[in-house]
Amino acid sequence: MDKNMKILIVDDFSTMRRIVKNLLADLGFSNTSEADDGKTAWPMLQTGDFDFVVTDWNMPGMTGIDLLKAIRGDAKLKSLPVLMVTAEAQRDQIVDAAKAGVNGYIIKPFTAATLKEKLDKIFQRFEAAA
Amino acid sequence: MSAVVVQMPPHATEHDPENIPDRAEYIDRLREILTALEADDPTLFESRLGHLMRLRDNGLFVNLAKLTRELHEAVRDLNFDDRLKQIAGNEIPDACKRLDYVAKLGEDAAHRTLDLVDNSRRLVDSLSECTQGLASARERVLQDGNTLAWRSSLAGEVEATESKIKQVSGQLRAHFSEISQAQEYQDLSGQVIRRVTTLVHNIEGALIKLLRATNDGLKNPTAPPIQTQPGELAGPAVPGLSESASQQDADALLAELGF
């Protein structure tokens, strides 16, 4: 797993962005950028060469699920790994996210250990597939 | 509360609910439509169909006006006017401002805490620099040829590190107390939220009385009063309130789906 990979953190709450950023830094990933919703994230993803996206679901402007669908529908971005970190905890929603092609799903509130576990799992799969 | 005025459409009259209202007029209108259909005249057909629909709408307006009047009378009879005016005019806007304040308190406290955590991280980094300095001093102590001057220079180095550690631990201690102080917002926000909860209970009580007074009573009192609209997100799960998945449930569900 490349610790220098470029990660985009998408959440409308600046405190949550800071928390995710700090947790990622503790895990050794410090090459992070932030966006406050899908609309802000989209142009950054188009030009930014990101390796990984951590996104909330419920955001004004453009939600995380719409961002995920946009990523999967884009020729250049379609295989970008996306981890959903959200307070949405209905079974239907988890199924929707899975159908839309999410790579991991974390329910808020969450712990550093959960974040690490999901990241490890996602990259194991990516490395196995590579 | 001022009287509710509903503009009555022309020709609208009250009807006996036992019979079809405006029966004769409906028959006339339907005959006109049939004539237009038989004559295969689309313009005339549309216009006559329009007449029929307006006749129907007029009936709906009458019913709506009647309902509105009944509701208003029920509210007036129960002396709810003043209470509802107070709730809608003062208490709800007041509650909204209080909740905005609570949201801001929480956000400010979170940022203050995160700032202090960031600073503390830097302080901890400087402590690990101190241990590196001490490790190198320890190695040098073990070397030969320790002159007095050399020993006193080493002692000076160790002393500087000691005072650095003392200073950093003092700063860390101060950060910890500031972090714990930053949580005091919870006391204030908890009190505000409880006040708003009381208000919501009061509103609920007034609405239930109103429903009982204007209807045959609640048909299904256990049904949740507000249903989630399709497309609306459920939001954070509240223990005991909403049926929602835990992280373990989510993991199991995703595993089932092949993740």
Side-chain angles (χ1 to χ4, degrees):
Chain A
M1 197 187 316
D2 175 15
K3 293 279 182 183
N4 210 28
M5 72 163 88
K6 213 169 157 190
I7 304 177
L8 183 63
I9 303 164
V10 194
D11 198 309
D12 54 333
F13 277 84
S14 55
T15 45
M16 190 42 80
R17 291 200 301 272
R18 286 185 72 174
I19 290 167
V20 172
K21 190 183 155 159
N22 281 346
L23 289 172
L24 287 172
D26 283 345
L27 295 172
F29 303 98
S30 46
N31 191 5
T32 51
S33 302
E34 298 174 33
D36 61 4
D37 78 338
K39 252 186 194 157
T40 322
W42 188 245
M44 294 173 79
L45 288 172
Q46 290 291 324
T47 55
D49 245 358
F50 283 95
D51 302 300
F52 192 68
V53 177
V54 179
T55 183
D56 183 21
W57 184 316
N58 188 7
M59 295 178 287
M62 185 184 190
T63 61
I65 192 84
D66 287 342
L67 179 65
L68 172 63
K69 286 174 183 166
I71 289 172
R72 292 291 173 258
D74 185 271
K76 205 172 68 156
L77 299 171
K78 63 171 188 267
S79 51
L80 184 66
V82 176
L83 174 64
M84 190 85 93
V85 179
T86 173
E88 301 302 328
Q90 303 298 305
R91 288 178 64 89
D92 294 352
Q93 292 178 300
I94 300 166
V95 173
D96 284 350
K99 280 184 186 155
V102 81
N103 300 90
Y105 198 99
I106 294 180
I107 295 170
K108 291 178 187 172
F110 65 102
T111 63
T114 307
L115 181 64
K116 183 176 185 326
E117 183 199 319
K118 301 303 163 206
L119 281 175
D120 287 346
K121 200 169 170 192
I122 291 170
F123 288 106
Q124 266 168 24
R125 280 171 177 266
F126 263 76
E127 275 155 23
Chain B
M1 195 184 281
S2 61
V4 180
V5 179
V6 173
Q7 192 67 48
M8 299 284 251
H11 316 301
T13 47
E14 299 235 14
H15 309 288
D16 181 355
E18 294 302 316
N19 298 316
I20 297 173
D22 297 321
R23 187 169 166 273
E25 206 170 349
Y26 273 112
I27 293 172
D28 287 347
R29 292 269 184 269
L30 285 166
R31 281 209 178 104
E32 281 173 7
I33 293 170
L34 192 61
T35 320
L37 263 179
E38 282 165 352
D40 200 14
D41 181 341
T43 322
L44 193 62
F45 171 71
E46 280 300 327
S47 125
R48 287 181 172 173
L49 193 61
H51 286 165
L52 179 73
M53 284 160 87
R54 272 196 296 285
L55 183 66
R56 172 89 181 111
D57 286 349
N58 287 350
L60 286 178
F61 277 124
V62 170
N63 279 329
L64 185 64
K66 191 162 165 257
L67 271 177
T68 311
R69 211 163 36 242
E70 279 174 6
L71 180 66
H72 179 69
E73 277 162 14
V75 170
R76 195 190 51 209
D77 292 348
L78 287 160
N79 286 326
F80 277 158
D81 266 21
D82 286 344
R83 185 71 194 113
L84 284 180
K85 202 159 136 190
Q86 172 74 12
I87 287 175
N90 295 67
E91 292 182 24
I92 290 178
D94 178 76
C96 290
K97 278 191 204 131
R98 283 172 195 273
L99 287 178
D100 284 343
Y101 172 64
V102 162
K104 185 166 172 1
L105 274 182
E107 191 186 346
D108 288 351
H111 275 298
R112 196 165 125 81
T113 306
L114 289 168
D115 285 342
L116 288 160
V117 167
D118 284 349
N119 282 335
S120 304
R121 280 167 186 271
R122 280 194 283 277
L123 289 171
V124 169
D125 288 346
S126 75
L127 281 181
S128 65
E129 279 165 29
C130 286
T131 60
Q132 277 164 25
L134 286 175
S136 111
R138 174 174 37 80
E139 276 165 25
R140 277 178 286 150
V141 165
L142 297 173
Q143 285 167 7
D144 292 335
N146 295 343
T147 64
L148 184 62
W150 186 87
R151 283 210 304 269
S152 89
S153 130
L154 190 69
E157 233 177 88
V158 171
E159 196 185 348
T161 308
E162 273 172 24
S163 67
K164 173 82 181 160
I165 291 174
K166 222 178 197 172
Q167 186 208 341
V168 169
S169 51
Q171 284 171 317
L172 278 175
R173 194 177 290 278
H175 280 11
F176 293 149
S177 30
E178 273 191 69
I179 288 171
S180 82
Q181 258 175 30
Q183 313 311 310
E184 72 187 1
Y185 84 94
Q186 205 280 326
D187 172 25
L188 298 174
S189 62
Q191 290 184 45
V192 171
I193 289 170
R194 267 197 288 277
R195 284 178 67 120
V196 176
T197 313
T198 311
L199 169 68
V200 173
H201 278 308
N202 289 343
I203 295 174
E204 186 192 23
L207 287 176
I208 287 175
K209 274 189 202 165
L210 195 59
L211 275 173
R212 291 212 171 107
T214 52
N215 206 338
D216 305 325
L218 288 173
K219 298 262 181 331
N220 182 6
T222 50
I226 299 170
Q227 300 282 354
T228 309
Q229 298 295 310
E232 196 176 300
L233 293 172
V238 181
L241 260 192
S242 40
E243 231 178 85
S244 57
S246 66
Q247 185 66 51
Q248 286 76 12
D249 297 336
D251 291 349
L253 188 57
L254 289 175
E256 258 173 53
L257 295 165
F259 275 76

